[in-house]
Amino acid sequence: MSGPNTDFDPVEVTAVQPEEVEAARDAALAAIAAAGDLEALKQVRIDHTGDRSPLALANREIGALPPQGRKEAGQRIGQARGAVSQALAARQAVLEAEAEERMLVEETVDVTLPTDRLPAGARHPITTGSELIADIFVAMGWEVAEGPVIEAEWLNFDALNLGPDHPARTMQDTFWTEPEDHGLVLRTHTSPVQARTMLSRTPPIYVVCPGRVFRTDEYDATHSPVFHQVEGLAVDEGITLAHLKGTLDHFATQMFGEGITTRFRPSYFPFTEPSAEVDLVCFVCRGAGTLDGAACRTCKGEGWIEWGGCGIVNPRVLAACGVDAERYTGFAFGMGIDRTLMFRHGLEDLRELFEGDVRFTTAFGSELG
Amino acid sequence: MKAPVSWIREYVDLPADLTTEDLAARLTALGLKLEAIEKPGDQIRGPLVVGRVLTMEPEPQKNGKTINWCSVDVGDANRTGEPQGIVCGAHNFAPGDLVVVILPGGVLPGDFEISERKTYGHLSAGMICSAAELGLGEDHDGIIVLPADAGEPGEDARDVLGLREEVIEFEINPDRAYALSLRGIAREAALGFDAAYRDPADRKVPAANNDGYPVVVDDPAGCPVFVAREVSGFDPAAPTPEWMVQRLAQCGQRSISLAVDVTNYVMLELGRPIHGYDADKLIGPVRVRRATEGERLTTLDGVDRALSPEDLVVTDDSGIIGLGGVMGGETTEMSETTTRVLVEAAHWDAVSMFRTGKRHRLTSEAGKRNERGVDPLITAAAADRVVELLVEHGGGTAEPGVTVVGEAAPRAAISMPAELPAKVTGMGISHDVTVRHLEAVGCEVDASSDPLAVVPPTWRPDLTDPYDLVEEVARVVGYDQVPSVLPREAAGRGLTRSQRLRRRIGHALAGAGCVEVVSFPFVGDAAFDRLGLPADDPRRHTVRLANPLSSEEPSYTTTLLPGLLEATARNLGRGASGVALFETGTVAFPVDRGPTPIYGVDWRPTEDELAKMLDTIPDQPLHLAVVLAGERERSGWWGEGRQAGWADAVALVRRLAGELSVPLEVRATAYAPWHPGRCARLLVGGAVLGHAGELHPQVCRSVGVPVRTAAVEIDLDVLMASAPEVVGGPEISTFPVAKEDVALVVADTVTAAEVEEALRQGAGDLLESVRLFDVYTGAQVGEGRRSLAFALRFRAPDRTLTDAETAAARDAAVARAAERCGAVQR
């Protein structure tokens, strides 16, 4: 090998020796193989492929060779450089993979560490339970009707065939607003919503009315002056008690599972005639009355749970609300949402629903929807 | 209503092997709901016998008590025939008395095993029993002393005590007043088992004559029938027969005296309340009329009552002697000296009875029956039955005089299409079945034409409408026969927009870490005081309750914050380090538009009438409140947590407004109960939505939550009304964005929102977004001023903006901020 051929004097130039090219290539390949990390490989790259590397210098001298020697020298040096370049790329890939492997090990964290920086929120089971019920009926083509909680006496009582002398109209049962003779009450049931619906729409009517209601009950484990009800009303041509039974059976099955149906017992409500109490097959013991050899606690061994009241809408109610009782019949039902939640979730004390303890509410998650 | 099974069986031939449980279940299916079955003797086992006390020796003890060492003849029950030695602590008996003895080996209620044991220096072989020990009542005054003719020593005492009796307690619905009697319950049992029935009211009664006690009824509408009978020579000391005492006890009534017991017994038997007067205390004719204003009466319970002109009263020449059908007066009350009894069996107007009972807050067994409706036809029979029992057991004479004033009005027929039961119930009920079942419940049916003409029985005043008859037919067919059929599907419109939006709001808040609370909406002035509301704050003008549960909380609330803050304090008190709670609920504001009208119910009110009624109902907007207290973000391995503050409260409202695509305007304001310098007023379209920020430290201390607790209260109706029904799709430009940052120095009284708004207006259509990214105060900007740094992003829909265009838009924005807010660019 010689110095820079500055004057292009062919006489001074000697042919590139094949042995030297091979030696330079081999030295480069050995250095590449010996590079232990990416940093070392970088130095190898500079030493063996940089501008001052033997192969680069040899390459530069090709132009100075006599034409008859250029082709062969060019081929030889090109092959050597190609081999070095390939080896470098291969070694680079290996070393990069090794480096990433190490990095992944180094970056390992304890993924079981807590992640609750923002505490979980939750909606209340009365809300989600009401929505679950609403959705069951909406899926049947019903609608959800609502109304005010402070209500006119006529809508809460008279229109529903609870006449002026009905016992529920006393101060012992009903919250009245001042002055008492102004005839405004905290609604004692969601039935005024049924009346409002019939007054404002023409049949067919299929509505459920979930909502908050009030009675002057003492506050204890099973009673509350503020509680929640869902009522349903269907008014259409040809509605019968059988449709009521079918609807409640479907409701029960959707809410509590296959096989949980209802039974009727004769009862009395001013707004329905005939009237019935609705019992639900106990969904804990599935009607057996016993569980693991002992009386079922949920239904107290009865196999049935009292769920609510229902019946055929009294034609007097239809008349007061402007529905043609000759053409249409209707059915209505009602049950407590809080009570339904109590036995569905095995709650011992109704008051837990109204205390606002976040541990209680968050426990329900999204099971109710 | 409690009904001994043997008493039911007296009037109906039930199958001998019918269990009490099956009887109760059948009656429940017919509408008399089983409440409980009592089997008093169920928990007593072993030898319980009649014993005769032969001797008793009182022996004072060191503990101050005196016990009796008794020798009791128990016949052969002890297998020796020798008298049994028993220690007894009671003193209410004497040698010769018949008592109840449980012998060793027996078991009393509560698994109390009896054995021979040494006590007070004797070997006591058994126990002389009290009623309480046998589970027959609470009477601890002493042991049971049986009547002299109760039985022979050694006989099983269960029969004597009626311990084999089983009693069914029913819950009787208000429409089935006839079942408040054994007559009615037995009739239902006969119906349920298709068994022969003997009506205890079906008896021969002496005809009315003019020799009876004079009675005048001035108000035949209030008292359609009044029967009076008299018994003289009655022995007031005559004891009530044991069987009657037992039956009364089984029905939950205490024995008082023979005369009173007989009237109660006949009421239970026939359902007809009876009143007995001491005839010697009566002066002149008995008269029934309405009271006049100002009249008073002291009733049997010792209460002096001011009477209303609606009250029906019974008088004699001395004045008022009773509140008709509800309660008698003191002056003519039967007593231990009564030898002449005037028996009153009267039929009273049910509505008057109910009103009088309600007005005077009087509930009695008689009132309960009279106000629900009694069979008007059995007045004479009931009076006659009372006379019979008084004479039989009190040794008197039935006077021949029989006074009957008025008569029961005949019942009108109800016209019912024969197919109505089938049509309403969806059960295949034939014409014949309808007629047969109506007759079975006591109706007279003219089936010769359709509609049927149905005359209900006199004991069923509740049957007035065709649908009432449908229920009768249906319950006899059986409610368990109702098929289960879904109605045809309605074309429902799904949830309303408001319902959907409320769900979204709830989900958004829960997603933001807030927990929903349901609290009571009652509030009092103290809560408003704690919130520091000014005296004239509209939130203090509440809908007040006439009969609140607590005088401390007499109002329906106007704000959800008190309940939410209470729940917050409760959670913190129970150890929570941070609490985020929300509640949605209605609040109420009075409208004070006078009384709400009451309309008739025979037809629908007109639209005008309805509007007038709805107009009187208070405004009840739907509110949302949030309280954030303590840690909003928890501390942890990641570092320190973050305390909730005003910004968290405002951020939640911004988030909800974003959920509903409502543009929200935030303005600084001072408004209780918020911190005056950290309260945001939130507006949509110019309407006030509500407020958010940090609570006033004084409020925090008053309600017991940490200072810096933040809160929100907004009107969801306003928010939801502002939500666009359809959101237009945005135009997304793909040309490059041009970014410009500007720092503007303004007086610190100028809000960021004002500056931002000015920038938006000045920048024009090319502005894509503006976002404040830094706030600086300090010497460089001067006292009372601050620097607000905004990042502006410009973009055109159709081209790449030139530098000149961007600069021009930026300069216009800054110029507007300078003009509107006095802003100076740094």
Side-chain angles (χ1 to χ4, degrees):
Chain A
M1 219 177 286
S2 56
N5 188 359
T6 49
D7 54 3
F8 285 89
D9 179 358
V11 184
E12 287 179 37
V13 177
T14 53
V16 177
Q17 293 305 308
E19 302 78 34
E20 288 176 26
V21 172
E22 278 169 24
R25 182 198 66 196
D26 291 346
L29 292 178
I32 288 167
D37 56 30
L38 288 166
E39 197 54 40
L41 189 64
K42 194 176 169 189
Q43 192 56 51
V44 170
R45 187 187 301 274
I46 294 166
D47 292 348
H48 294 274
T49 65
D51 289 346
R52 316 270 328 146
S53 65
L55 285 173
L57 292 176
N59 192 49
R60 203 177 305 160
E61 282 175 7
I62 293 171
L65 291 175
Q68 63 274 26
R70 282 183 196 168
K71 188 179 174 192
E72 192 201 339
Q75 271 182 356
R76 193 177 303 128
I77 294 169
Q79 278 171 2
R81 293 183 75 193
V84 171
S85 172
Q86 260 184 17
L88 265 177
R91 188 63 186 156
Q92 176 82 19
V94 168
L95 289 176
E96 274 180 0
E98 281 178 11
E100 181 147 299
E101 204 60 40
R102 268 197 310 280
M103 189 183 71
L104 290 177
V105 171
E106 283 161 11
E107 284 182 357
T108 298
V109 295
D110 178 1
V111 294
T112 69
L113 285 171
T115 55
D116 54 350
R117 192 166 186 154
L118 184 68
R123 296 194 306 146
H124 197 277
I126 288 175
T127 304
T128 51
S130 301
E131 288 177 4
L132 173 63
I133 292 168
D135 289 346
I136 290 169
F137 282 92
V138 167
M140 286 193 279
W142 293 46
E143 293 174 20
V144 181
E146 294 166 301
V149 294
I150 303 176
E151 187 58 282
E153 187 178 359
W154 189 85
L155 286 165
N156 193 71
F157 294 123
D158 298 76
L160 302 164
N161 197 35
L162 286 98
D165 291 313
H166 194 275
R169 296 178 80 137
T170 62
M171 298 260 283
Q172 275 109 48
D173 290 306
T174 300
F175 287 110
W176 295 79
T177 72
E178 275 184 355
E180 204 189 324
D181 60 5
H182 275 204
L184 293 170
V185 299
L186 303 195
R187 66 181 182 193
T188 58
H189 42 198
T190 51
S191 313
V193 181
Q194 300 187 24
R196 283 169 174 265
T197 306
M198 287 188 277
L199 285 162
S200 61
R201 293 174 58 168
T202 50
I205 291 170
Y206 292 87
V207 291
V208 278
C209 323
R212 171 180 276 203
V213 299
F214 302 82
R215 308 250 172 103
T216 57
D217 280 332
E218 286 299 320
Y219 190 36
D220 61 30
T222 53
H223 298 87
S224 170
V226 181
F227 57 105
H228 300 79
Q229 253 192 353
V230 60
E231 294 190 327
L233 169 74
V235 182
D236 204 343
E237 289 177 356
I239 285 287
T240 70
L241 208 52
H243 293 131
L244 172 57
K245 180 80 164 68
T247 301
L248 289 175
D249 279 343
H250 182 73
F251 178 21
T253 302
Q254 292 292 303
M255 186 91 187
F256 295 97
E258 241 3 270
I260 305 300
T261 53
T262 63
R263 78 172 175 192
F264 286 177
R265 282 182 286 112
S267 190
Y268 171 77
F269 307 105
F271 26 88
T272 52
E273 189 73 42
S275 300
E277 301 264 357
V278 193
D279 295 339
L280 185 72
V281 171
C282 176
F283 79 105
V284 174
C285 65
R286 304 193 71 79
T290 56
L291 202 65
D292 302 329
C296 173
R297 283 176 57 198
T298 304
C299 64
K300 298 186 179 64
E302 301 267 323
W304 295 91
I305 299 170
E306 288 184 30
W307 198 22
C310 67
I312 294 293
V313 180
N314 194 313
R316 291 167 186 258
V317 174
L318 296 180
C321 295
V323 174
D324 179 356
E326 294 293 316
R327 181 172 169 196
Y328 297 105
T329 46
F331 69 70
F333 61 84
M335 49 274 298
I337 293 174
D338 325 63
R339 225 183 77 76
T340 301
L341 292 176
M342 279 185 81
F343 62 72
R344 192 173 186 274
H345 300 278
L347 307 182
E348 300 281 336
D349 194 325
L350 180 65
R351 288 171 291 197
E352 288 179 323
L353 289 166
F354 304 110
E355 289 206 323
D357 194 313
V358 298
R359 295 168 300 172
F360 175 82
T361 305
T362 49
F364 288 87
S366 59
E367 186 262 317
L368 281 158
Chain B
M1 174 75 195
K2 291 181 170 184
V5 173
S6 71
W7 202 351
I8 297 174
R9 283 180 180 271
E10 253 179 53
Y11 310 130
V12 52
D13 294 337
L14 294 173
D17 58 353
L18 178 68
T19 65
T20 300
E21 284 76 8
D22 287 346
L23 173 60
R26 184 74 190 95
L27 289 173
T28 297
L30 282 171
L32 310 188
K33 195 197 161 213
L34 168 67
E35 190 83 343
I37 293 177
E38 290 173 11
K39 299 183 174 182
D42 223 24
Q43 291 190 66
I44 301 171
R45 295 193 296 277
L48 183 77
V49 299
V50 175
R52 186 183 303 282
V53 179
L54 300 175
T55 62
M56 55 190 285
E57 293 162 24
E59 295 180 357
Q61 301 296 315
K62 279 183 225 142
N63 62 8
K65 279 193 197 168
T66 300
I67 61 103
N68 289 302
W69 171 235
C70 307
S71 139
V72 184
D73 176 7
V74 294
D76 285 331
N78 57 4
R79 299 214 180 92
T80 66
E82 294 297 312
Q84 198 83 355
I86 300 175
V87 170
C88 182
H91 303 280
N92 64 322
F93 61 103
D97 280 350
L98 288 183
V99 295
V100 180
V101 177
I102 183 135
L103 294 171
V107 179
L108 289 180
D111 273 333
F112 178 27
E113 287 184 36
I114 304 299
S115 55
E116 276 193 351
R117 62 191 187 105
K118 282 203 81 126
T119 181
Y120 295 112
H122 297 283
L123 187 67
S124 183
M127 194 166 105
I128 304 178
C129 302
S130 72
E133 283 155 353
L134 295 175
L136 295 177
E138 299 298 309
D139 191 357
H140 286 277
D141 294 345
I143 53 107
I144 296 172
V145 178
L146 296 170
D149 59 352
E152 291 303 315
E155 280 180 16
D156 196 317
R158 286 176 177 79
D159 296 308
V160 175
L161 293 168
L163 285 177
R164 294 191 212 281
E165 186 64 271
E166 297 187 337
V167 179
I168 310 175
E169 182 174 4
F170 296 103
E171 182 187 317
I172 304 296
N173 284 319
D175 59 333
R176 302 198 182 276
Y178 65 97
L180 292 171
S181 69
L182 270 299
R183 177 192 190 221
I185 290 171
R187 190 190 302 278
E188 292 286 295
L191 180 65
F193 293 92
D194 204 13
Y197 172 70
R198 287 173 299 282
D199 185 351
D202 185 11
R203 54 190 291 127
K204 256 183 92 74
V205 295
N209 55 47
N210 293 323
D211 305 330
Y213 198 93
V215 173
V216 181
V217 175
D218 290 339
D219 193 327
C223 179
V225 188
F226 194 114
V227 174
R229 296 284 300 275
E230 218 178 320
V231 174
S232 58
F234 176 76
D235 174 9
T240 304
E242 189 55 30
W243 61 265
M244 190 184 288
V245 172
Q246 273 176 27
R247 278 199 168 161
L248 288 172
Q250 283 154 0
C251 295
Q253 297 208 2
R254 282 176 73 100
S255 170
I256 293 163
S257 67
L258 175 61
V260 173
D261 289 352
V262 164
T263 57
N264 284 337
Y265 184 83
V266 172
M267 177 178 72
L268 293 170
E269 183 178 81
L270 302 178
R272 161 60 65 201
I274 305 283
H275 188 66
Y277 299 90
D278 185 333
D280 286 327
K281 294 179 185 165
L282 290 171
I283 306 163
V286 165
R287 185 178 283 268
V288 177
R289 61 168 170 86
R290 300 276 171 177
T292 56
E293 198 67 60
E295 286 187 306
R296 305 187 74 85
L297 169 70
T298 302
T299 40
L300 278 179
D301 53 3
V303 179
D304 176 43
R305 300 172 187 278
L307 303 179
S308 144
E310 281 197 347
D311 291 332
L312 282 161
V313 292
V314 181
T315 69
D316 69 358
D317 287 353
S318 71
I320 298 176
I321 57 173
L323 210 43
V326 178
M327 194 173 271
E330 278 186 329
T331 56
T332 55
E333 188 182 358
M334 292 189 295
S335 70
E336 62 277 13
T337 60
T338 301
T339 58
R340 226 154 58 85
V341 179
L342 183 74
V343 176
E344 165 208 301
H347 185 66
W348 304 93
D349 170 53
V351 171
S352 297
M353 293 298 103
F354 173 75
R355 289 184 183 165
T356 293
K358 183 170 139 186
R359 188 176 303 116
H360 297 290
R361 293 176 197 264
L362 260 174
T363 50
S364 65
E365 288 295 316
K368 191 162 87 183
R369 288 166 175 80
N370 280 328
E371 72 186 34
R372 294 177 186 199
V374 181
D375 186 347
L377 270 195
I378 62 166
T379 40
D384 191 59
R385 175 72 168 140
V386 170
V387 168
E388 177 189 52
L389 289 169
L390 287 177
V391 169
E392 187 179 339
H393 301 288
T397 309
E399 293 293 326
V402 176
T403 305
V404 177
V405 178
E407 62 179 339
R411 295 212 54 180
I414 302 168
S415 174
M416 184 188 78
E419 92 282 356
L420 192 65
K423 194 181 143 206
V424 169
T425 63
M427 295 192 277
I429 300 173
S430 69
H431 182 285
D432 287 351
V433 167
T434 294
V435 171
R436 198 168 72 237
H437 288 353
L438 286 173
E439 286 175 345
V441 299
C443 296
E444 282 171 28
V445 184
D446 178 355
S448 61
S449 62
D450 196 353
L452 308 174
V454 183
V455 180
T458 53
W459 61 87
R460 294 296 303 273
D462 60 302
L463 301 181
T464 57
D465 291 9
Y467 275 60
D468 299 333
L469 301 178
V470 170
E471 180 174 277
E472 291 305 301
V473 174
R475 75 184 179 102
V476 179
V477 172
Y479 274 24
D480 56 341
Q481 300 298 307
V482 177
S484 187
V485 181
L486 277 172
R488 74 167 196 199
E489 279 178 33
R493 294 169 295 188
L495 294 178
T496 64
R497 184 175 158 68
S498 156
Q499 286 156 359
R500 282 185 285 115
L501 292 182
R502 270 177 280 154
R503 289 187 179 194
R504 276 182 63 178
I505 289 166
H507 282 297
L509 287 166
C514 301
V515 177
E516 189 177 14
V517 167
V518 174
S519 48
F520 289 2
F522 304 126
V523 76
D525 286 341
F528 297 139
D529 294 343
R530 283 193 289 272
L531 294 183
L533 303 190
D536 60 349
D537 192 298
R539 285 168 289 179
R540 284 184 180 271
H541 184 42
T542 59
V543 174
R544 291 178 68 92
L545 301 180
N547 52 337
L549 275 188
S550 153
S551 56
E552 307 286 305
E553 296 185 329
S555 293
Y556 201 95
T557 196
T558 52
T559 160
L560 299 177
L561 289 175
L564 214 45
L565 287 167
E566 201 178 301
T568 303
R570 184 177 297 127
N571 276 289
L572 293 168
R574 291 178 182 180
S577 59
V579 184
L581 300 180
F582 76 99
E583 177 164 20
T584 58
T586 50
V587 299
F589 296 97
V591 295
D592 302 326
R593 289 194 202 103
T596 185
I598 299 268
Y599 302 118
V601 293
D602 294 334
W603 54 81
R604 182 188 189 278
T606 65
E607 290 301 330
D608 279 354
E609 285 172 331
L610 278 179
K612 193 159 170 270
M613 178 170 67
L614 298 182
D615 210 34
T616 62
I617 296 174
D619 289 335
Q620 296 167 65
L622 183 69
H623 274 202
L624 162 73
V626 185
V627 169
L628 307 164
E631 281 188 343
R632 175 72 172 129
E633 286 175 18
R634 289 192 182 128
S635 303
W637 57 267
W638 50 75
E640 274 296 293
R642 193 173 60 74
Q643 298 292 307
W646 66 270
D648 296 297
V650 177
L652 281 175
V653 185
R654 289 192 201 272
R655 179 166 179 166
L656 294 182
E659 282 277 330
L660 272 59
S661 303
V662 173
L664 185 73
E665 190 187 337
V666 180
R667 283 189 207 159
T669 192
Y671 186 70
W674 281 273
H675 184 309
R678 297 186 170 194
C679 175
R681 172 163 290 162
L682 310 155
L683 301 101
V684 286
V688 176
L689 177 65
H691 298 83
E694 227 166 82
L695 290 176
H696 196 295
Q698 185 59 48
V699 172
C700 294
R701 285 189 287 272
S702 299
V703 300
V705 296
V707 170
R708 305 252 173 267
T709 293
V712 174
E713 182 156 26
I714 61 172
D715 184 329
L716 283 187
D717 288 334
V718 171
L719 182 66
M720 293 190 294
S722 313
E725 297 223 4
V726 178
V727 174
E731 283 180 29
I732 302 297
S733 168
T734 55
F735 288 92
V737 67
K739 299 177 185 174
E740 292 279 342
D741 291 351
V742 295
L744 301 172
V745 177
V746 291
D748 57 14
T749 50
V750 177
T751 65
E754 289 167 324
V755 179
E756 184 187 314
E757 183 54 29
L759 288 172
R760 273 185 199 285
Q761 288 180 3
D765 291 343
L766 295 178
L767 183 73
E768 185 177 78
S769 69
V770 54
R771 183 167 184 277
L772 183 146
F773 67 91
D774 195 25
V775 178
Y776 172 78
T777 54
Q780 286 185 39
V781 295
E783 185 76 9
R785 301 178 73 75
R786 55 183 185 153
S787 168
L788 306 175
F790 292 89
L792 308 176
R793 291 163 71 91
F794 296 95
R795 193 159 7 208
D798 55 350
R799 66 189 189 279
T800 301
L801 291 176
T802 65
D803 291 350
E805 280 178 306
T806 307
R810 179 202 62 208
D811 291 347
V814 171
R816 182 67 66 95
E819 176 197 327
R820 297 279 290 275
C821 310
V824 178
Q825 192 169 8
R826 278 174 83 192

